[in-house]
Amino acid sequence: MTSEGFHVDLHVKIMDERVVQRAKARGLDALVYAPHFTRLPDIRAKAERFSDEELTVIPGRELFTGTWQRRRHVLAVGLDEQVPDFLTLDGTMAELERQDAAVLVPHPGFLSVSLGIEELRTYASVIDAVEVYNPKHLPHHNRRARRFARETDLPTFASSYAHLHGSIGEAWTAFDEALQTADELARALRDEVPRRIVHRDGLRHTLRRGLEFAHLGYENSWEKFDRVMLQGTAPTHPDHVAYDGKFDDIKVY
């Protein structure tokens, strides 16, 4: 069980009954559900389905900005309108700022999919928090993330970044006040409400971290690129009918 406060895992990729059961068993109060390549209405529907009095599931979007080869991930909480993937980073940040969403930077400097220190400095006025711990990181990744946060003077957060069920409840962010809705959480993040970074430790945690890191092989595989980009129009591609051509001027494909 966790200590007192409101405990939210700010980034999970999976959602089903097993996720909910594990989150409750680990003493979490909320999860931010942000699967890849899924439109916001579908994320909202699934979040509502799995929310109850004990656990709030909050919809989020981890956006792929730029091209597949030079993509940068940005996590948004509190969106009012849909935003597709594969927009320019500038265009994505401008749209998130227009919607007054909370803008989070997951896994900064991690491999080839993350914002680096220069991008954090460039968009510091838009970014609301930088992730400084998740189980997929190796120790030097977490150290670098903390250094980036210090050098940019940006608030921090932690998440399980769970792609696997066993990672739920391995890391979270603790607030003193209850935050029951996406808007309330987004406000707390934008307003820099005090929070604590918390994670489990010990051998089991180390093993879980190893399993999550190993999962990267699938995440960055050609199979996924083929499925998302080559087999018809992806649900979150800016050319999809759901976006009605709104983002044609800032899309990269």
Side-chain angles (χ1 to χ4, degrees), residues 105-139:
V105 177
H107 45 74
F110 188 61
L111 302 179
S112 61
V113 297
S114 310
L115 272 66
I117 187 65
E118 293 305 321
E119 291 153 323
L120 293 179
R121 288 171 175 150
T122 298
Y123 298 102
S125 64
V126 181
I127 294 168
D128 295 297
V130 174
E131 185 175 56
V132 294
Y133 189 92
N134 81 53
K136 229 178 186 74
H137 282 173
L138 297 179

